[in-house]
Amino acid sequence: MRRYNQRLILSAIRRLNGASKAELSRVTGLSPQAVVRIIDELDNDGLLFQAEKRTGGMGQPATVYRINGARGYTVGVDIGRNAMTLALLDFDGQRRAVQCDAGAFPTIDLAVARIDRFVQEQLPASLRDPGTFLGIGIAMPWFLGEWRDELGISEHQAREWRRGDVADRLRAGLDGPTFFDNDGNAATLAHLLCGAGVDLQNYLCINLGTFVGGGLVLGGRWYRAGTAMPAHWHRCRSWPVAGAISLIHHASLYDRDRATTPAALEGWQRRCSEALAFAISGANSLLDLEAVILDGSLDAPELADIAAAVGRQLDEHAPPDFFAPELRIGTLGQQAAAIGAGLLPLHAQYSPDLSSLFKRA
């Protein structure tokens, strides 16, 4: 229980970007005495620092505590179908360095070499000890070697990433604890801890990448789905186009990249917004989400246009009892999955997990 409460306090401070003891007692439900004790322990361990004094209320000024970024570092890696993005994060989740290497499907040996070189170049040797270097997070599509026809890649390029021992081979070549997750899940975690979802408890994150993906946060808890967002959603008769619709084929950027004329691009944007709106309608009819976060590799104006079109589709075609969630535009962009990957070691070691409170037989 003590360790869970410490993680709860750290998670709250991270999402609030600093908080006083009174605020932490209010948002966590812990007693003021418990919060004082936990804050003092975390402060003494160097995980927090006293950032400032906040005035304006009754009584003495409140001390605001923040995460001590220098307490540790992680590396996040997004192995994508057309690029490999690496990010160095501090303990507060702030980006200290970012690098993007273009090129589809590196070999596993090349991926390991790039990660190792990035660590050597960006993190001084004095900070690579186990107490400071908290690990490496790797995000990638679980089916990285699939969808050859859509991408126009060779069997040789795809073969190595189809093997069942990909994670083991990557882990064996790296120095330090290594954590893995799907790229859509990782992008969702990034928005929960340091992106557009820090003030939300229930939201769907949709990441428009080479293939569309995403994830879910409910009750402030990140849900680690086994794969990315469902690839196929079937239309009902009330939606404007009959038949079946696939997010993979209509809301993915590989299809957008095939649009070589303004008319073709406009067609893709229409199909994308229709597919996203239908998916959001189905998800929100079940979950009553506060918001849907749209982010990805599109530039900001085009992403805003897509969000506006999705909003119009929902207004026109959603059921009459539909509660429309807020549509938010994320700003992490192409770096979202790498940032989320870098947060995986922090989340594994310092985020509250209710299952830890139950004794297993």
Side-chain angles (χ1 to χ4, degrees), residues 343-356:
L343 293 168
L344 290 175
L346 297 177
H347 188 272
Q349 299 175 58
Y350 293 102
S351 289
D353 179 6
L354 288 173
S355 65
S356 66

Side-chain angles (χ1 to χ4, degrees), residues 42 44-45 66 86 108 111 123 139 152 161 174 178 181 187 197 219 222 225 228 265 283 285 310 317 353 355:
L42 296 173
N44 291 334
D45 290 341
R66 297 187 189 277
L86 304 98
I108 289 179
L123 197 62
W161 296 97
L174 298 171
T178 308
D181 215 311
W222 174 56
L265 179 58
S285 295
V310 169
H317 303 294
D353 179 6
S355 65

Side-chain angles (χ1 to χ4, degrees), residues 204 206 235 238-240 272-285 289-294 306-328:
L204 174 68
I206 300 177
R235 290 192 182 277
S238 63
W239 216 257
C272 176
S273 61
E274 289 178 356
L276 292 176
F278 187 75
I280 292 168
S281 175
N284 205 55
S285 295
L289 301 163
E290 295 173 80
V292 174
I293 297 172
L294 295 178
I306 294 291
V310 169
R312 290 192 296 271
Q313 287 284 329
L314 292 174
D315 289 341
E316 294 173 11
H317 303 294
D321 59 348
F322 180 74
F323 175 78
E326 176 189 357
L327 293 178
R328 289 192 180 183

Side-chain angles (χ1 to χ4, degrees), residues 285-299:
S285 295
L286 175 65
L287 298 170
D288 282 337
L289 301 163
E290 295 173 80
V292 174
I293 297 172
L294 295 178
D295 205 354
S297 300
L298 291 175
D299 59 34

Side-chain angles (χ1 to χ4, degrees), residues 181-196:
D181 215 311
N182 174 268
D183 54 336
N185 292 339
T188 303
L189 177 63
H191 282 291
L192 174 66
L193 297 182
C194 57

Side-chain angles (χ1 to χ4, degrees), residues 71-158:
R71 178 60 178 78
Y73 298 88
T74 68
V75 166
V77 183
D78 173 27
I79 302 177
R81 292 180 169 91
N82 60 3
M84 183 171 168
T85 305
L86 304 98
L88 174 68
L89 306 184
D90 65 18
F91 191 70
D92 194 26
Q94 300 299 309
R95 282 164 277 182
R96 298 300 182 183
V98 177
Q99 174 181 314
C100 183
D101 296 326
F105 297 94
T107 64
I108 289 179
D109 288 343
L110 178 57
V112 168
R114 285 178 175 175
I115 297 169
D116 183 65
R117 183 171 64 250
F118 181 78
V119 173
Q120 301 295 326
E121 291 176 351
Q122 301 299 335
L123 197 62
S126 60
L127 298 179
R128 291 185 218 137
D129 64 272
T132 305
F133 184 44
L134 303 177
I136 299 168
I138 296 179
M140 60 183 180
W142 290 149
F143 305 104
L144 185 63
E146 301 300 335
W147 305 97
R148 282 181 51 214
D149 292 341
E150 287 78 2
L151 292 172
I153 61 172
S154 69
E155 173 65 22
H156 174 73
Q157 287 176 293

